[in-house]
Amino acid sequence: MATTSSASPPLSALSTPAITIVDQNNASTISTVHQDIIETHIFTRLDGPTLASASCASTHLHALASQENLWTNICHSTWPSTTSSRVRHVISNFHNGPRSFFSDAFPLAIEPVSFGNSSENPTDLPSEIISAVDIYYKKELIFGKVVETETVSAWFKCSPFRVDLLDPKEAVSTRIPNPDKDDTCRYLEEDMELSWIIIDPIGKRAMNLSSQRPVSVHRHWLSGEVQVKFASVVGGGGIGAATELVQCGVVVTCGGSAKGEMHVREVSLQLEDMDGMYLNGKESLVMLTRGMAGKRGRGKKRESERKKEVEEFLERKRERKERKMRREGTLDTLCVAFGVSAFASSLLFLLFR
């Protein structure tokens, strides 16, 4: 009686020039994979944090992941504004080129550098700062610009610090629908993203000041313009001082157009202390220098964490204002009591003289 064999076909029948079966009993490592395959087909598909993690797996992968062209492409894809010739030149002068730039600009600085006494300021302030800004809506780039700001003039140091990317009469068209409904504000809060990288070309440091996603979206009741605010909180040093915490606020103002689409009409950056005062150029430069020289987190903070930091900053700002009002109220009461006592003493003196 004939029997039907259930044995598997020979390996040669399953093997083709494009398919190779590896004996699972043989130990294999990533080093057996050709480095061209790793560089061109694996590493090019990774984002920055994943590539950095892969480089820590072995010395072999670390060497392959340190290729400058990999990190250059990651920087350009993450922040299109870095394709500017000036920014590319500055990045090339960083210690490890685009890799150092990415490690500076991707996370948010969480602790300012210490200069000994908290009242001391760094002496090597940059003579120029570069702002590299990218704005996305539904993952599509709608605006990108690089602005260079000189920081040595007396006008810059004494005037309120403010970086404007657009002129007063300039506007950038977008595909964002005109806010005819309140839902548009919700869409902006969910779908708009912003990156604002401050670069010190002399000190070869960088820092991302944005919360990535908006912390608030408001529509003006009269003009209909929508203000989208991004913010982050950095430590300024000096416990109890107004600059113990500083909010870096970016405002994007969008207005309607005749074609039914929104135009970006304002993109600006300012630094605000806990007293609600905007810092001048010199004070802002000190805070930015502290932030760029400070410690970095291990990765990008989640939007919820950054939003929580902004909420805590606003809460401490409110508490500080209430304490100030209570002190002023107490002083006013003492002044009135002193004035009444002085008047009564003078009156008694005149009556019984």
Side-chain angles (χ1 to χ4, degrees), residues 144-163:
K145 193 170 185 179
V146 174
V147 174
E148 303 174 25
T149 306
E150 64 84 19
T151 62
V152 296
S153 66
W155 179 86
F156 171 84
K157 294 179 179 179
C158 299
S159 301
F161 175 78
R162 181 183 173 103
V163 179

Side-chain angles (χ1 to χ4, degrees), residues 4-15:
T4 302
S5 175
S6 60
S8 301
L11 293 179
S12 59
L14 295 177
S15 299

Side-chain angles (χ1 to χ4, degrees), residues 271-322:
L271 272 64
E272 180 185 4
D273 65 18
M274 290 196 297
D275 283 339
M277 303 295 293
Y278 289 109
L279 275 60
N280 61 30
K282 184 177 180 180
E283 294 169 338
S284 299
L285 199 58
V286 169
M287 297 303 160
L288 294 177
T289 303
R290 286 177 178 270
M292 286 188 283
K295 295 181 180 180
R296 299 301 198 270
R298 294 185 177 180
K300 188 192 298 184
K301 292 185 178 181
R302 293 181 300 178
E303 293 83 2
S304 58
E305 293 177 350
R306 294 185 177 180
K307 210 167 188 176
K308 183 179 179 180
E309 289 178 351
V310 174
E311 292 174 353
E312 291 177 352
F313 171 84
L314 296 176
E315 178 65 20
R316 294 186 61 176
K317 177 182 172 182
R318 183 187 62 80
E319 293 175 353
R320 186 179 179 89
K321 182 179 180 180
E322 291 179 351

Side-chain angles (χ1 to χ4, degrees), residues 42-119:
I42 299 178
F43 280 175
T44 55
R45 299 173 183 270
L46 304 181
D47 59 10
T50 308
L51 181 61
S53 299
S55 68
C56 299
S58 68
T59 55
H60 177 63
L61 290 181
H62 183 271
L64 296 180
S66 299
Q67 300 295 325
E68 183 173 327
N69 65 306
L70 286 174
W71 290 100
T72 297
N73 293 334
I74 286 176
C75 288
H76 290 174
S77 60
T78 307
W79 308 294
S81 59
T82 58
T83 58
S84 162
S85 58
R86 177 69 200 284
V87 176
R88 292 184 66 172
H89 175 71
V90 171
I91 292 176
S92 66
N93 292 326
F94 275 52
H95 178 61
N96 289 319
R99 185 177 182 181
S100 294
F101 177 80
F102 186 89
S103 65
D104 274 355
F106 186 76
L108 189 70
I110 56 175
E111 293 181 12
V113 69
S114 175
F115 291 94
N117 188 344
S118 60
S119 63

